Amino acid sequence: MIHLRTFAPIAFALAAGTASAQSAQTETLFNALGLPEMMQIMREEGVVYGAEIGSDLFGDRTNAEWTEIVSGIYDVDAMRNEVLTELDTALEGDNVDAMISFFTGEPGQSIISLELSARRALLDDAVEEAAKEIATEAMLDNTDRYQKVKTFVEVNDLVETNVVGAMNSNYAFYTGLMDGGAMPQELTEDQVLTDVWSQEPEIRVNTTEWVYSFLMLAYQPLSDADLDAYIAFSETEAGQDLNDAMFQAFDGMFEDISRALGLGSAKFMTGQDI
C-alpha cells in the first residue's frame, strides 16, 4: 500500500507495480473462493432480511418504497468492491500464493462449490429446518463427521467471530436509527451497548446452530480425507491469515449495510426523504 509521501520516480513506479500485482493476486483469490457468486446469494439473503425488518418495524406500512431501499442497500457491485478492497488491504504481506494454490486445486474447488450450493439451498426455509435437525442429531450422537466439523469450527474460531460480527452489526443498525432521528434523544451510547450485549446469549445460540447446520450440509458429500485436508490448510499460517482477512473484509461490509438499514428505517419511519 502506497503511503502519502514523496517518492523518486523510479521508487514510485516500483511501489505502484507491487500494489497492482497484489490487487490482481487478491482478485484471483477472490474469484477462486467463489465470492462473486456468494455476493449474489448474500443479496438474496439480505432482501429477505430487509423484508423482515420492514414487517417488524412498519407492519402494514411496508411498501414498494421500502423494498427499493433494501434492494439499493444490498447492491452487489458495491458489496463486491468493498470486500475486494478490504481483502486486498487485510492480505498485505500474507502468503496469498499458498491460498490461491489450495483453492484453485483440489479439494479446494470442490469445497467452494459445496459451500456455495449449501448457502443457496439454505435460502429455502424447509431446507434450513431440515439442516438444523440433521446437525442437531449429529451433535447428540457425536458422530465422526460432527467431530471433524467441530474441529474445523474451532480451528477457524467460527462461532466467536460470527457472534462478534453479529453484535457489531446490531450496534451499527442502532447507530443508523439514532443518526436518522428515530431513537429518543436522551438515549445514550452506553444504553445502546447494554441492549446489544443483552442479545449476546440468543445470538450465540442462533449462530452456533446456523454454523453447524450450514457446514454439516455443505460438507456431507465431502470425503474424510478432503475435510482433513481443509482442516490442515486452515491450521497453516496462510489459512489463519485468510480466515482473519475474510472476517475483517466481510465484517466491515455487514456493518456498513446494517448502518444503512438503520438509517433507511429511521427515514422511512419519520417520513424523511431517502
Side-chain angles (χ1 to χ4, degrees):
M1 194 172 187
I2 303 172
H3 299 284
L4 293 176
R5 53 183 265 194
T6 302
F7 288 92
I10 188 167
F12 180 83
L14 289 171
T18 301
S20 176
Q22 183 189 334
S23 298
Q25 196 179 38
T26 302
E27 188 155 9
T28 297
L29 178 62
F30 186 90
N31 291 328
L33 292 170
L35 295 183
E37 184 177 345
M38 183 62 76
M39 295 293 175
Q40 295 287 346
I41 297 171
M42 287 180 171
R43 170 180 163 78
E44 293 180 46
E45 294 171 343
V47 169
V48 172
Y49 175 60
E52 292 173 356
I53 291 176
S55 179
D56 290 342
L57 293 182
F58 320 130
D60 294 339
R61 287 183 55 215
T62 304
N63 56 26
E65 182 185 6
W66 175 248
T67 301
E68 186 177 344
I69 292 168
V70 172
S71 181
I73 290 171
Y74 285 96
D75 179 87
V76 172
D77 288 337
M79 291 162 65
R80 177 192 181 280
N81 291 339
E82 180 171 358
V83 169
L84 186 56
T85 299
E86 290 299 320
L87 196 61
D88 192 51
T89 299
L91 289 171
E92 188 173 4
D94 294 339
N95 188 356
V96 180
D97 283 337
M99 304 170 193
I100 292 172
S101 178
F102 183 83
F103 286 105
T104 55
E106 288 297 342
Q109 277 293 287
S110 293
I111 289 167
I112 294 301
S113 179
L114 290 172
E115 289 178 348
L116 289 169
S117 295
R119 190 74 177 249
R120 185 167 291 284
L122 288 175
L123 291 169
D124 186 318
D125 290 341
V127 174
E128 184 174 8
E129 284 305 311
K132 287 178 182 178
E133 291 179 13
I134 291 170
T136 300
E137 289 177 9
M139 248 183 246
L140 292 173
D141 293 339
N142 200 26
T143 63
D144 291 343
R145 177 47 58 100
Y146 165 71
Q147 282 297 323
K148 286 185 182 295
V149 169
K150 183 170 180 281
T151 298
F152 179 81
V153 169
E154 291 172 349
V155 165
N156 291 288
D157 202 18
L158 294 183
V159 172
E160 195 63 37
T161 44
N162 274 293
V163 168
V164 171
M167 292 177 67
N168 286 340
S169 290
N170 283 1
Y171 178 75
F173 183 78
Y174 273 111
T175 301
L177 287 174
M178 294 171 71
D179 290 347
M183 304 293 276
Q185 289 187 347
E186 61 271 17
L187 186 68
T188 66
E189 183 178 350
D190 285 345
Q191 288 173 315
V192 171
L193 287 169
T194 297
D195 190 57
V196 170
W197 269 105
S198 73
Q199 301 167 22
E200 194 271 350
E202 182 180 2
I203 289 172
R204 184 171 296 277
V205 169
N206 291 338
T207 298
T208 302
E209 182 180 56
W210 190 90
V211 165
Y212 279 95
S213 298
F214 168 65
L215 294 179
M216 292 295 292
L217 175 64
Y219 301 156
Q220 188 274 328
L222 206 61
S223 69
D224 285 346
D226 285 348
L227 185 50
D228 286 341
Y230 197 12
I231 293 169
F233 171 75
S234 298
E235 291 174 328
T236 65
E237 183 177 357
Q240 290 291 298
D241 287 342
L242 175 59
N243 190 53
D244 292 344
M246 289 283 281
F247 273 106
Q248 181 177 322
F250 276 94
D251 281 357
M253 181 194 76
F254 282 126
E255 286 174 35
D256 288 344
I257 285 174
S258 292
R259 185 184 178 282
L261 286 170
L263 190 60
S265 298
K267 291 183 176 181
F268 190 85
M269 287 190 301
T270 58
Q272 302 174 49
D273 290 334
I274 299 174

